[in-house]
């Protein structure tokens, strides 16, 4: 797994938690926040944006990638994802494939419990941040290198 220092880990966890506040989840009431750390140290936030047609909904992770890639940022060193659930929740399959498109297989993905930064919750009652690699999230994956150039 690519190294992630404690400062950057704290920065992206905080950013993902902040991003969740802007989720537009009026149908599911399931807020998600994501934060990407670029190789230059920039943080790109994303929140889930639901749509009445359901198919038009975009997840927080993909929102962050769309924002980054559309601004020319294509190299990332970490991703953090959080919800309001007290346990860590992993990205959906479509998001995993988008993550795979732009990130190395050894890049860390932090799955952050929703109450991780909540000071009103006792530390002993908080679940730990789960750190997985892209390869662990999407084993035996298909990626850009599998297509002819």
């Amino acid at each position: 797994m690519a190294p992630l220092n404690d400062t950057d880990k704290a920065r992206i966890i905080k950013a993902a938690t902040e991003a969740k506040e802007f989720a537009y989840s009026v149908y599911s009431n399931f807020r998600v926040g994501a934060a990407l750390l670029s190789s230059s140290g920039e943080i790109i936030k994303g929140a889930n944006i639901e749509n009445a047609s359901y198919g038009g909904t975009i997840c927080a992770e993909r929102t962050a990638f769309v924002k980054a890639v559309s601004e020319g940022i294509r190299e990332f060193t970490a991703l953090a994802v959080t919800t309001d659930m007290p346990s860590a929740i992993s990205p959906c399959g479509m998001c995993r494939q988008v993550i795979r498109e732009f990130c190395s297989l050894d890049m860390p993905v932090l799955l952050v419990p929703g109450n991780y930064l909540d000071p009103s919750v006792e530390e002993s009652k908080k679940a730990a941040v789960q750190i997985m690699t892209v390869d662990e999230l999407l084993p035996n994956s298909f990626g850009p290198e599998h297509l002819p150039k």
Side-chain angles (χ1 to χ4, degrees):
M1 182 178 314
L4 180 65
N5 66 49
D6 289 342
T7 300
D8 284 339
K9 178 181 174 183
R11 286 176 62 218
I12 63 170
I13 288 173
K14 182 176 183 280
T17 302
E18 291 169 351
K20 179 178 66 174
E21 296 304 316
F22 296 103
Y24 180 76
S25 56
V26 297
Y27 304 105
S28 71
N29 294 311
F30 192 83
R31 300 183 312 157
V32 183
L36 273 169
L37 180 63
S38 74
S39 59
S40 67
E42 184 176 352
I43 291 178
I44 303 92
K45 299 177 188 179
N48 58 320
I49 310 296
E50 295 181 347
N51 186 278
S53 73
Y54 295 112
T57 294
I58 184 167
C59 300
E61 301 91 327
R62 287 183 287 139
T63 298
F65 277 99
V66 168
K67 287 172 63 177
V69 173
S70 66
E71 294 296 325
I73 303 168
R74 294 197 174 109
E75 293 181 9
F76 308 101
T77 58
L79 169 68
V81 181
T82 191
T83 68
D84 290 322
M85 302 295 293
S87 58
I89 303 292
S90 67
C92 73
M94 190 180 300
C95 286
R96 291 175 191 212
Q97 190 62 50
V98 171
I99 294 165
R100 171 64 172 88
E101 181 74 18
F102 295 102
C103 303
S104 67
L105 292 173
D106 67 342
M107 188 190 86
V109 178
L110 286 68
L111 309 177
V112 184
N115 63 6
Y116 185 74
L117 295 180
D118 187 343
S120 69
V121 177
E122 293 178 37
E123 291 299 319
S124 64
K125 296 190 178 187
K126 293 181 183 180
V129 173
Q130 293 180 31
I131 303 177
M132 302 181 74
T133 65
V134 172
D135 193 41
E136 289 170 328
L137 280 175
L138 193 64
N140 303 312
S141 63
F142 177 81
E145 71 277 9
H146 295 108
L147 295 173
K149 301 266 177 189

